[in-house]
Amino acid sequence: MGATLPGLLSALLLLLLPASLRVRDQLLLASHRREAEDGIGGGLHPIVLIPGLSCPDLEARLTDAYRPLKPGCSRVEGEGWFGLWTNRTWELDVERAECFVEQMRLVYDPVLGDFRNLPGVETRVPYFGSAAGSGSKIPTHPEFCMGALRSALGRLGYREGETLFGAPYDPRYAPPMPGQTSQFYSRYFRQMARLIEDASERNNGRPAIVLGHSFGGAVALEFVRNAPLQWRDRFVKHLITVAPTWSGGYVRPLTAFVSGLDLFFIPAAPQLAMRSMWRTFETAVWRPYRPRRCLGADRW
Ligand SMILES: *[C@@H]1O[C@H](CO)[C@@H](O)[C@H](O)[C@H]1NC(C)=O
């Protein structure tokens, strides 16, 4: 297994990369392969998990600028930050589910050329850095959101905060196209770089493995692709993307756009009610196979 993994990884990577990047990455992978063969027994490489679309939590805070369509939606338990999308959201009653659908919405700002929250709604992604913070949101499927993988990594000796990390993101935003503004991803890519540098430092300078599942695979790929080559060479041991697009290929995003998406599991909110929310997400109109180019350092 140890001997075939690098081969598997390079095959996977080469399939995912545009031709212009393949030769360079093949060289990089060859050097990584040699290192892996030399360095067996030298300790674990830190691993950063980037989970699928429905996995990261989202917290919100309402300000006086919030003008809810339904008056009840401005009343939330206590003041300050509250869990908007969490592993408890499935418990919402019909009324609160309507508020969820409203407060999750994004609006496109043509002046900014970027998406943002509704006026008066502030959001943040908690548990950045933690792999355990992005657990399954569906009580009957605790293994979702890389739960099974985290357990397996634990058996291999990986420990949260030492060698095992997570980089949850705001699932409503999509990684930007070349030249496109993305306030969310500008910050996220910087945070991710710091996370990886710190993880590497804690582990005797060993570069990190970046592993993304599903939409997280696309996020991982865009992160690595946007990283300056020298930085990448120094800090990224492997990029692993597992099922890095929707299982439905082109068709599922289209049907979700037409009839809503069941990924955000809230029994009290019918799929059609979720449609109005989903359609405002940048991720809803993101196309996995659009042409891209490597941007180098300009987003850092
Ligand atoms: C829900 O998420 C929190 C925060 O990550 C975690 O502490 C808790 O164990 C989770 N609960 C379940 C049932 O997964």
Side-chain angles (χ1 to χ4, degrees):
M1 178 73 191
T4 60
L5 187 63
L8 186 76
L9 290 172
S10 40
L12 220 142
L13 250 177
L14 291 173
L15 281 175
L16 290 166
L17 291 169
S20 58
L21 290 178
R22 282 183 193 163
V23 174
R24 192 171 62 192
D25 283 77
Q26 203 160 18
L27 294 174
L28 261 181
L29 280 161
S31 79
H32 284 159
R33 194 153 42 223
R34 275 196 306 280
E35 263 173 57
E37 281 156 9
D38 295 342
I40 287 168
L44 294 170
H45 285 269
I47 186 162
V48 179
L49 303 182
I50 309 180
L53 196 66
S54 68
C55 303
D57 281 30
L58 204 55
E59 292 179 346
R61 181 165 69 178
L62 306 176
T63 70
D64 292 341
Y66 181 46
R67 298 279 174 274
L69 291 176
K70 299 189 184 290
C73 292
S74 57
R75 289 192 308 271
V76 283
E77 322 76 50
E79 297 258 299
W81 293 102
F82 63 97
L84 183 60
W85 172 242
T86 72
N87 58 13
R88 305 293 299 272
T89 306
W90 65 275
E91 294 173 341
L92 295 180
D93 60 23
V94 173
E95 202 179 324
R96 289 292 300 139
E98 283 176 0
C99 301
F100 168 86
V101 167
E102 183 179 313
Q103 289 161 2
M104 283 285 278
R105 292 171 73 97
L106 289 181
V107 286
Y108 181 69
D109 185 329
V111 178
L112 233 61
D114 199 357
F115 290 79
R116 55 173 174 75
N117 285 317
L118 287 190
V121 179
E122 293 174 3
T123 50
R124 68 179 183 192
V125 181
Y127 313 118
F128 187 84
S130 160
S134 304
S136 170
K137 306 290 185 272
I138 305 182
T140 46
H141 288 285
E143 77 285 6
F144 281 9
C145 297
M146 301 201 271
L149 177 65
R150 286 200 305 273
S151 308
L153 288 171
R155 288 194 293 277
L156 288 176
Y158 275 95
R159 295 290 169 265
E160 172 83 26
E162 293 172 18
T163 42
L164 178 60
F165 303 88
Y169 52 91
D170 186 325
R172 302 171 302 164
Y173 297 94
M177 293 177 63
Q180 184 195 345
T181 310
S182 174
Q183 287 186 335
F184 176 78
Y185 276 97
S186 313
R187 197 174 60 244
Y188 175 82
F189 285 167
R190 278 198 304 274
Q191 281 182 305
M192 173 94 99
R194 298 297 92 79
L195 176 69
I196 289 175
E197 288 165 11
D198 291 350
S200 170
E201 197 175 320
R202 275 163 191 270
N203 289 279
N204 294 324
R206 279 190 289 276
I209 298 167
V210 180
L211 189 156
H213 172 231
S214 188
F215 190 75
V219 173
L221 179 62
E222 290 302 319
F223 167 73
V224 170
R225 210 199 281 277
N226 277 282
L229 187 59
Q230 272 188 324
W231 186 94
R232 211 207 286 194
D233 206 10
R234 162 75 186 79
F235 288 107
V236 180
K237 177 75 181 167
H238 296 299
L239 164 67
I240 307 177
T241 59
V242 182
T245 183
W246 296 32
S247 47
Y250 268 118
V251 174
R252 188 147 183 243
L254 270 180
T255 51
F257 205 79
V258 173
S259 27
L261 182 73
D262 53 5
L263 260 186
F264 293 86
F265 171 71
I266 305 181
Q271 194 169 319
L272 268 185
M274 299 284 249
R275 180 176 69 179
S276 66
M277 171 191 92
W278 174 245
R279 280 182 174 178
T280 70
F281 290 5
E282 192 176 14
T283 29
V285 289
W286 179 81
R287 288 174 300 124
Y289 301 114
R290 66 179 183 230
R292 301 178 177 105
R293 63 184 169 87
C294 191
L295 288 182
D298 58 343
R299 284 237 203 79
W300 284 56

